[in-house]
Amino acid sequence: MTTAEKRRAEILKQLNNTGGSISGTKLAEQYDVSRQIIVRDISILKADGHPIVSTSRGYVLRPAERTGKPFKRTIACQHNFEHMAEELQIILDNGAMIDNVSIDHPVYGEMTGELMIATNEEMTMFLTQMHKEKSRMLANLTDNIHLHRISADTKKILDNAVRDLIEHGYIIQD
């Protein structure tokens, strides 16, 4: 087994044993390799069929049964960067989780970013990272139109989140 194969096996073991995410930077430091080597390792592991999700907080191993919560809904939204925090907060305040964000790009097709934001702390970390990296919303590519898959423990939680998002003008309606 090569050094790279051993490192990938160890990364996979770590992802299996952790309850949260592991940042690429942390893995690079741990294995004394570049961040790009870790990106390559993760890509190879994904290509080998391992359900690794890249989130804003790092890498997470997500078996299908552990992804999000049991009730799911996809919502179409539109807003600018300044309203992102409020939109996410409304979803969390209702007890729902923001699984992902996606856009329908005219050239690339569907583009999705896994968020897996379930707590205010995770949202704060995501927003801090967005500001730190001077990142823009994925929705900037589509006139701020984007989809979120949200999930919750009950249908009522989803209904309440959607109701509040409509009241604040974030949901696209006919």
Side-chain angles (χ1 to χ4, degrees):
M1 186 179 275
T2 68
T3 303
E5 289 170 331
K6 288 178 188 174
R7 184 180 57 247
R8 286 191 290 274
E10 282 298 312
I11 290 170
L12 195 56
K13 185 177 174 182
Q14 278 184 267
L15 289 170
N16 269 313
N17 292 333
T18 186
S21 59
I22 305 173
S23 76
T25 302
K26 181 178 176 181
L27 289 170
E29 290 170 0
Q30 180 179 345
Y31 293 103
D32 196 28
V33 295
S34 70
R35 173 81 171 79
Q36 192 55 39
I37 294 293
I38 297 299
V39 169
R40 184 173 185 265
D41 286 344
I42 296 295
S43 295
I44 290 169
L45 289 168
K46 285 180 177 182
D48 287 344
H50 299 285
I52 299 171
V53 177
S54 303
T55 73
S56 60
R57 295 176 313 281
Y59 300 110
V60 184
L61 189 61
R62 292 274 186 211
E65 66 274 7
R66 287 181 46 208
T67 302
K69 296 184 179 193
F71 292 86
K72 299 182 183 314
R73 187 168 304 162
T74 299
I75 54 175
C77 302
Q78 186 174 23
H79 60 79
N80 59 23
F81 186 84
E82 290 74 29
H83 291 97
M84 180 172 50
E86 183 180 43
E87 174 208 39
L88 298 176
Q89 190 66 60
I90 289 168
I91 296 167
L92 292 177
D93 284 350
N94 278 284
M97 175 176 175
I98 304 103
D99 296 350
N100 69 23
V101 61
S102 64
I103 61 167
D104 187 16
H105 192 272
V107 175
Y108 295 115
E110 186 174 332
M111 298 172 69
T112 302
E114 297 296 326
L115 299 179
M116 305 308 287
I117 298 172
T119 66
N120 285 328
E121 180 183 27
E122 291 169 349
M123 181 185 74
T124 299
M125 289 174 22
F126 170 73
L127 294 172
T128 299
Q129 190 69 19
M130 288 287 289
H131 288 288
K132 178 182 169 190
E133 298 295 330
K134 297 183 174 94
S135 292
R136 294 181 290 164
M137 295 187 324
L138 191 57
N140 282 2
L141 299 172
T142 55
D143 195 29
N144 294 326
I145 297 171
H146 58 286
L147 303 173
H148 281 297
R149 185 180 66 228
I150 60 175
S151 60
D153 291 323
T154 68
K155 182 182 176 300
K156 178 125 178 84
I157 290 171
L158 294 177
D159 291 343
N160 291 343
V162 168
R163 178 202 63 219
D164 289 353
L165 288 166
I166 288 170
E167 284 178 11
H168 286 83
Y170 293 123
I171 299 277
I172 299 172
Q173 297 186 1
D174 291 331

Short mmCIF file of all heavy atoms in Angstrom, two decimals, residues 2 11 15 33 37 67 70-72 75-76 89 95 114 128 130 144 155 163 165:
data_model
loop_
_atom_site.label_atom_id
_atom_site.label_comp_id
_atom_site.label_asym_id
_atom_site.label_seq_id
_atom_site.Cartn_x
_atom_site.Cartn_y
_atom_site.Cartn_z
N THR A 2 0.61 2.18 -0.90
CA THR A 2 1.42 3.40 -0.99
C THR A 2 1.11 4.34 0.17
O THR A 2 0.11 4.18 0.88
CB THR A 2 1.13 4.16 -2.30
OG1 THR A 2 -0.21 4.67 -2.24
CG2 THR A 2 1.31 3.26 -3.52
N ILE A 11 -7.82 8.84 6.52
CA ILE A 11 -8.82 9.91 6.40
C ILE A 11 -10.22 9.31 6.48
O ILE A 11 -11.10 9.81 7.19
CB ILE A 11 -8.62 10.73 5.11
CG1 ILE A 11 -7.34 11.57 5.20
CG2 ILE A 11 -9.84 11.61 4.82
CD1 ILE A 11 -6.93 12.22 3.89
N LEU A 15 -13.13 10.05 9.26
CA LEU A 15 -14.48 10.50 8.90
C LEU A 15 -15.54 9.57 9.47
O LEU A 15 -16.61 10.01 9.88
CB LEU A 15 -14.62 10.62 7.38
CG LEU A 15 -13.85 11.78 6.74
CD1 LEU A 15 -13.86 11.65 5.23
CD2 LEU A 15 -14.42 13.11 7.18
N VAL A 33 0.85 17.48 4.45
CA VAL A 33 0.74 17.60 2.99
C VAL A 33 0.02 18.90 2.69
O VAL A 33 -0.52 19.55 3.58
CB VAL A 33 -0.02 16.40 2.36
CG1 VAL A 33 0.76 15.10 2.56
CG2 VAL A 33 -1.44 16.29 2.91
N ILE A 37 -3.44 18.35 -1.91
CA ILE A 37 -3.30 16.89 -1.82
C ILE A 37 -4.53 16.30 -1.14
O ILE A 37 -5.07 15.27 -1.56
CB ILE A 37 -2.01 16.48 -1.06
CG1 ILE A 37 -0.77 16.90 -1.84
CG2 ILE A 37 -2.00 15.00 -0.74
CD1 ILE A 37 -0.56 16.17 -3.15
N THR A 67 -28.43 11.64 6.24
CA THR A 67 -28.41 12.94 5.58
C THR A 67 -29.67 13.73 5.91
O THR A 67 -30.77 13.33 5.57
CB THR A 67 -28.29 12.77 4.05
OG1 THR A 67 -27.10 12.06 3.79
CG2 THR A 67 -28.23 14.11 3.35
N PRO A 70 -35.88 13.61 8.46
CA PRO A 70 -36.77 12.76 7.67
C PRO A 70 -37.73 13.48 6.71
O PRO A 70 -38.02 12.96 5.63
CB PRO A 70 -37.56 11.97 8.71
CG PRO A 70 -37.36 12.67 10.01
CD PRO A 70 -36.08 13.44 9.90
N PHE A 71 -38.21 14.66 7.06
CA PHE A 71 -39.13 15.38 6.18
C PHE A 71 -38.32 16.43 5.41
O PHE A 71 -37.58 17.20 6.01
CB PHE A 71 -40.26 16.04 6.98
CG PHE A 71 -41.20 15.05 7.58
CD1 PHE A 71 -40.93 14.48 8.82
CD2 PHE A 71 -42.33 14.65 6.89
CE1 PHE A 71 -41.78 13.54 9.38
CE2 PHE A 71 -43.20 13.71 7.44
CZ PHE A 71 -42.92 13.15 8.68
N LYS A 72 -38.47 16.44 4.08
CA LYS A 72 -37.67 17.33 3.25
C LYS A 72 -38.56 18.13 2.31
O LYS A 72 -39.63 17.69 1.92
CB LYS A 72 -36.69 16.51 2.40
CG LYS A 72 -35.73 15.70 3.25
CD LYS A 72 -34.75 14.94 2.38
CE LYS A 72 -33.82 14.07 3.19
NZ LYS A 72 -33.21 14.63 4.35
N ILE A 75 -37.27 24.52 -1.68
CA ILE A 75 -37.92 25.83 -1.79
C ILE A 75 -37.12 26.71 -2.74
O ILE A 75 -35.90 26.66 -2.78
CB ILE A 75 -38.06 26.51 -0.40
CG1 ILE A 75 -36.69 26.60 0.31
CG2 ILE A 75 -39.06 25.75 0.47
CD1 ILE A 75 -36.71 27.36 1.63
N ALA A 76 -37.84 27.52 -3.52
CA ALA A 76 -37.22 28.46 -4.45
C ALA A 76 -37.19 29.83 -3.81
O ALA A 76 -38.23 30.34 -3.37
CB ALA A 76 -37.99 28.50 -5.77
N GLN A 89 -31.67 32.22 9.25
CA GLN A 89 -32.14 32.28 10.63
C GLN A 89 -33.62 31.92 10.73
O GLN A 89 -34.04 31.23 11.67
CB GLN A 89 -31.90 33.68 11.22
CG GLN A 89 -32.15 33.75 12.70
CD GLN A 89 -31.14 32.92 13.50
OE1 GLN A 89 -29.95 33.17 13.42
NE2 GLN A 89 -31.62 31.94 14.25
N GLY A 95 -36.95 25.41 13.50
CA GLY A 95 -36.54 24.05 13.83
C GLY A 95 -36.15 23.20 12.65
O GLY A 95 -35.97 21.99 12.78
N GLU A 114 -23.38 21.75 -0.53
CA GLU A 114 -23.89 21.10 0.68
C GLU A 114 -23.63 22.02 1.87
O GLU A 114 -22.50 22.42 2.11
CB GLU A 114 -23.21 19.75 0.90
CG GLU A 114 -23.47 18.75 -0.21
CD GLU A 114 -24.93 18.35 -0.32
OE1 GLU A 114 -25.63 18.28 0.72
OE2 GLU A 114 -25.37 18.10 -1.45
N THR A 128 -19.33 33.48 8.91
CA THR A 128 -17.97 33.96 9.20
C THR A 128 -17.02 33.54 8.08
O THR A 128 -16.21 34.34 7.61
CB THR A 128 -17.48 33.42 10.56
OG1 THR A 128 -18.36 33.90 11.57
CG2 THR A 128 -16.06 33.87 10.86
N MET A 130 -17.85 32.81 5.00
CA MET A 130 -18.21 33.56 3.79
C MET A 130 -17.54 34.93 3.80
O MET A 130 -16.97 35.35 2.79
CB MET A 130 -19.74 33.74 3.69
CG MET A 130 -20.52 32.50 3.35
SD MET A 130 -20.36 32.00 1.62
CE MET A 130 -21.28 33.26 0.78
N ASN A 144 -29.64 35.94 -8.22
CA ASN A 144 -29.99 35.66 -6.82
C ASN A 144 -31.10 34.62 -6.64
O ASN A 144 -31.60 34.43 -5.54
CB ASN A 144 -30.33 36.94 -6.06
CG ASN A 144 -29.12 37.83 -5.92
OD1 ASN A 144 -28.00 37.36 -5.79
ND2 ASN A 144 -29.34 39.13 -5.95
N LYS A 155 -43.53 17.57 9.27
CA LYS A 155 -44.03 18.37 8.14
C LYS A 155 -44.44 19.75 8.63
O LYS A 155 -44.24 20.75 7.93
CB LYS A 155 -45.20 17.64 7.49
CG LYS A 155 -45.79 18.35 6.29
CD LYS A 155 -46.98 17.57 5.74
CE LYS A 155 -47.65 18.27 4.60
NZ LYS A 155 -48.18 19.59 4.92
N ARG A 163 -43.95 29.28 5.60
CA ARG A 163 -44.87 30.39 5.89
C ARG A 163 -44.08 31.65 6.27
O ARG A 163 -44.34 32.74 5.75
CB ARG A 163 -45.81 29.99 7.03
CG ARG A 163 -46.78 31.10 7.45
CD ARG A 163 -47.32 30.92 8.86
NE ARG A 163 -46.22 31.00 9.82
CZ ARG A 163 -46.12 30.22 10.90
NH1 ARG A 163 -47.03 29.32 11.18
NH2 ARG A 163 -45.08 30.37 11.72
N LEU A 165 -40.91 32.35 5.66
CA LEU A 165 -40.10 32.82 4.52
C LEU A 165 -40.95 33.59 3.52
O LEU A 165 -40.51 34.60 2.97
CB LEU A 165 -39.40 31.64 3.84
CG LEU A 165 -38.26 31.01 4.64
CD1 LEU A 165 -37.87 29.66 4.03
CD2 LEU A 165 -37.05 31.94 4.70
#
